[in-house]
Amino acid sequence: MDLKIGDVQETALVTLAIRASETVRKNARIKDFMAKEIIDTLGVDVRKYDPFLSHEGVVARTIMYKNQLNELIIRHPDALCVNLGCGFDDKFVQVDNGKIMWYDVDLPDILAVRRRIYKDRERCIMKEGNALESNWTKSLPKQRSTNIIIMEGVLEYFTKEEVRKCLKMLCDSFEHGYLLAELHHPLLGKNTKYHDAVKHTKAQFHWGTKSGKEYLDLEPRMTLVSEKSYNEEMKKYSIRAKLFAFFFPHLNNRLAVFKW
């Protein structure tokens, strides 16, 4: 498969490679057979994208996002869900309750490749869109009980002003909803070259936060519902992850839930 995508979008290969390799492990904690099929047909060596800490982090965040989404969908069974910056992820199959409406949204280069792998489904549609612009939101259904926006592995590549612009776009475009966002520490933004997986791409981390409360200064319409470090899930599975959580309790990425 001829793979031509942008520098930041290349980071989608990191999560794809990890989900694929975890799927075939004994006692796999997550299973993504489509990821395995994609990796098998890509024709690129993705082993460099699958080091230990990134592997454990992606597994942890996949589990945490799934659990958080299921919790929200139980409360809002007919929600409109938007996976903004979806990459090659297929969260819809993990949480579909038979009622939600789902959109997988990403930039044209990623979707061009994605459409060679996935097909639109009755309640799961691919849509070209930019997290900094609102045009793509105008044709979305308006009659759903709430909106759930998922941004996994996206905002850490934005500058502070781009994060502000994204949050404003979401609050302007959706009357009310939830944002599930991956946040990172400021030190990560200054040390992309030391990240065990992303250093193999041309992507660059930018604005990081010590707390999700810093997002509220950028968009006062939002409130912070919860924030949890990936350490909480990672440390369940290995001594190395427990040691990382002990010595670096604040450096791992977090899943934050915002509401407006």
Side-chain angles (χ1 to χ4, degrees):
M1 180 184 295
D2 183 21
L3 188 68
K4 294 181 180 179
I5 54 178
D7 294 342
V8 171
Q9 295 91 294
E10 186 186 359
T11 61
L13 289 176
V14 173
T15 54
L16 187 69
I18 291 169
R19 294 199 308 272
S21 68
E22 179 68 21
T23 296
V24 298
R25 290 187 178 189
K26 185 179 180 180
N27 301 320
R29 292 159 289 177
I30 60 173
K31 291 186 180 293
D32 189 336
F33 294 103
M34 182 60 78
K36 178 65 169 61
E37 182 178 338
I38 296 168
I39 288 297
D40 288 345
T41 58
L42 273 179
V44 296
D45 184 357
V46 294
R47 288 175 294 179
K48 63 184 178 182
Y49 298 127
D50 191 18
F52 174 78
L53 279 178
S54 281
H55 184 103
E56 293 302 294
V58 168
V59 170
R61 83 182 194 187
T62 300
I63 294 170
M64 291 170 66
Y65 266 82
K66 178 182 177 180
N67 291 343
Q68 185 63 68
L69 275 168
N70 277 328
E71 181 181 317
L72 288 174
I73 290 170
I74 287 172
R75 289 155 51 190
H76 305 281
D78 64 340
L80 172 70
C81 301
V82 177
N83 193 0
L84 182 52
C86 61
F88 300 113
D89 191 24
D90 192 21
K91 278 185 170 44
F92 174 74
V93 298
Q94 300 174 24
V95 300
D96 180 31
N97 65 349
K99 297 180 180 179
I100 57 172
M101 187 69 200
W102 188 283
Y103 285 86
D104 284 312
V105 178
D106 215 319
L107 299 173
D109 56 350
I110 276 284
L111 282 194
V113 179
R114 185 182 175 93
R115 285 193 170 104
R116 295 163 65 179
I117 304 161
Y118 297 101
K119 303 297 181 185
D120 284 341
R121 287 154 278 186
E122 182 180 359
R123 289 174 292 100
C124 182
I125 298 170
M126 287 176 281
K127 190 176 185 65
E128 292 184 3
N130 189 320
L132 302 178
E133 299 172 357
S134 63
N135 288 343
W136 60 272
T137 68
K138 296 176 181 178
S139 60
L140 297 182
K142 306 296 183 185
Q143 70 275 20
R144 295 279 166 162
S145 61
T146 197
N147 306 289
I148 302 173
I149 314 300
I150 304 104
M151 298 189 74
E152 178 182 356
V154 179
L155 290 172
E156 55 261 54
Y157 302 104
F158 285 5
T159 65
K160 184 176 182 178
E161 286 308 307
E162 286 173 333
V163 172
R164 185 196 308 273
K165 187 174 181 180
C166 176
L167 299 182
K168 182 179 185 302
M169 182 276 291
L170 292 176
C171 287
D172 287 347
S173 301
F174 300 95
E175 184 177 355
H176 49 77
Y178 295 90
L179 169 64
L180 278 60
E182 180 173 7
L183 310 186
H184 68 286
H185 193 276
L187 285 177
L188 185 60
K190 302 174 183 177
N191 294 281
T192 308
K193 64 182 178 180
Y194 298 115
H195 190 277
D196 59 354
V198 177
K199 68 182 180 181
H200 297 297
T201 75
K202 295 179 181 179
Q204 177 68 47
F205 293 123
H206 290 293
W207 184 62
T209 59
K210 294 181 179 179
S211 168
K213 293 179 181 178
E214 295 176 55
Y215 272 50
L216 308 184
D217 295 331
L218 305 184
E219 181 44 77
R221 286 174 287 183
M222 285 188 167
T223 58
L224 180 62
V225 177
S226 64
E227 184 174 15
K228 183 180 290 187
S229 171
Y230 294 165
N231 281 337
E232 296 304 306
E233 186 69 26
M234 285 174 60
K235 67 185 182 182
K236 296 177 183 178
Y237 304 109
S238 74
I239 296 297
R240 288 175 67 183
K242 287 180 181 178
L243 290 172
F244 182 85
F246 179 80
F247 287 106
F248 305 103
H250 305 299
L251 291 187
N252 209 339
N253 288 13
R254 298 102 63 197
L255 168 56
V257 180
F258 299 92
K259 183 179 180 180
W260 70 98

